[in-house]
Amino acid sequence: MKVHNAEIVISAVSPAQYPESQLPEIALAGRSNVGKSSFINTLIDRRKLARISSKPGKTQTLNFYLIENSLYFVDVPGYGYAKVSKTERAKWGKMIETYLTQREQLKAVVSLVDLRHPPTKDDIQMYQFLKYYGLPVILVATKADKIPRGKWNKHEAVIKRELDFDPSDTFIIFSSVTKEGKEKAWASIEAAVAE
Ligand code: GDP
């Protein structure tokens, strides 16, 4: 998909604030700093899509971006903030759980991990959570340009093993620097939206 038009539509915490629309939605989840905004910007050919700040301590919201008037990307705030209080974390968990388990037009979740490292506890927990609810996952392993191509397979195997990766999910090796994986990511998103 060549994207000409992407706009942030709404920031929501509760279902009443989700956009009133039947368009398909693709959620994007990952711990902070994994490369989620870079991934979104690469897919929509933008250098910088205006993003609501998701710094620790700030209100955590689901951000809905309308893409070419045909689907929404739903940016799920990054997990794994050390500084966030238990209460904040519980609120965050509830908001995400509600969205992921109740939103009918949610077609798939793009779950981002760092290709360089084994998945963190939070990465594993998130993936298992998505699988528990039967959500299709597009696993995106970011920052591929930071390790030699010859090591990609080995890193992919470690990530798949640690996550107990479901073979019916898609695994994409990605780099926002080289654009590796961009076409595959769009193809997977378009296939999920068409389901
Ligand atoms: P977010 O917090 O998950 O939205 O992460 P960002 O997209 O802001 O990226 C965090 C940092 O990683 C930034 O310094 C990015 O420039 C860098 N980064 C993100 N993706 C890549 C990538 O594919 N390759 C490299 N080399 N750096 C990346």
Side-chain angles (χ1 to χ4, degrees), residues 141-165:
T142 62
K143 310 193 185 184
D145 59 284
K146 291 205 173 184
I147 51 172
R149 196 171 271 267
K151 290 193 173 160
W152 287 0
N153 276 345
K154 194 175 146 242
H155 286 241
E156 176 175 338
V158 169
I159 291 169
K160 283 181 167 171
R161 191 187 66 222
E162 296 285 315
L163 291 178
D164 192 14
F165 190 71

Side-chain angles (χ1 to χ4, degrees), residues 66-86:
L66 180 58
I67 309 292
E68 283 291 272
N69 285 313
S70 65
L71 76 150
Y72 284 99
F73 278 175
V74 183
D75 187 359
V76 171
Y79 48 86
Y81 287 131
K83 284 182 192 146
V84 164
S85 71
K86 270 200 181 143

Side-chain angles (χ1 to χ4, degrees), residues 66-171:
L66 180 58
I67 309 292
E68 283 291 272
N69 285 313
S70 65
L71 76 150
Y72 284 99
F73 278 175
V74 183
D75 187 359
V76 171
Y79 48 86
Y81 287 131
K83 284 182 192 146
V84 164
S85 71
K86 270 200 181 143
T87 324
E88 280 299 315
R89 218 177 144 90
K91 262 200 249 166
W92 171 91
K94 192 78 210 138
M95 173 179 79
I96 287 168
E97 187 176 0
T98 301
Y99 173 74
L100 293 175
T101 59
Q102 294 181 16
R103 188 66 164 166
E104 275 183 22
Q105 54 268 63
L106 175 63
K107 298 292 188 175
V109 180
V110 172
S111 187
L112 298 105
V113 300
D114 190 324
L115 181 64
R116 295 172 297 173
H117 313 295
T120 65
K121 264 191 202 151
D122 284 325
D123 292 335
I124 296 168
Q125 205 173 19
M126 175 57 84
Y127 185 75
Q128 290 308 323
F129 174 85
L130 298 171
K131 289 292 90 188
Y132 179 79
Y133 285 106
L135 289 158
V137 174
I138 300 167
L139 208 286
V140 170
T142 62
K143 310 193 185 184
D145 59 284
K146 291 205 173 184
I147 51 172
R149 196 171 271 267
K151 290 193 173 160
W152 287 0
N153 276 345
K154 194 175 146 242
H155 286 241
E156 176 175 338
V158 169
I159 291 169
K160 283 181 167 171
R161 191 187 66 222
E162 296 285 315
L163 291 178
D164 192 14
F165 190 71
D166 175 350
S168 67
D169 286 337
T170 309
F171 191 100

Side-chain angles (χ1 to χ4, degrees), residues 20-94:
E20 268 186 61
S21 144
Q22 295 304 311
L23 288 175
E25 293 173 3
I26 299 287
L28 298 106
R31 62 181 172 71
S32 44
N33 224 33
V34 74
K36 183 151 52 91
S37 16
S38 304
F39 174 82
I40 297 174
N41 288 329
T42 301
L43 259 64
I44 65 176
D45 299 307
R46 286 286 175 84
R47 228 158 258 161
K48 218 165 191 208
L49 180 72
R51 250 187 119 196
I52 306 285
S53 170
S54 55
K55 290 216 178 72
K58 291 262 168 66
T59 312
Q60 304 272 293
T61 59
L62 297 163
N63 295 325
F64 292 73
Y65 297 92
L66 180 58
I67 309 292
E68 283 291 272
N69 285 313
S70 65
L71 76 150
Y72 284 99
F73 278 175
V74 183
D75 187 359
V76 171
Y79 48 86
Y81 287 131
K83 284 182 192 146
V84 164
S85 71
K86 270 200 181 143
T87 324
E88 280 299 315
R89 218 177 144 90
K91 262 200 249 166
W92 171 91
K94 192 78 210 138

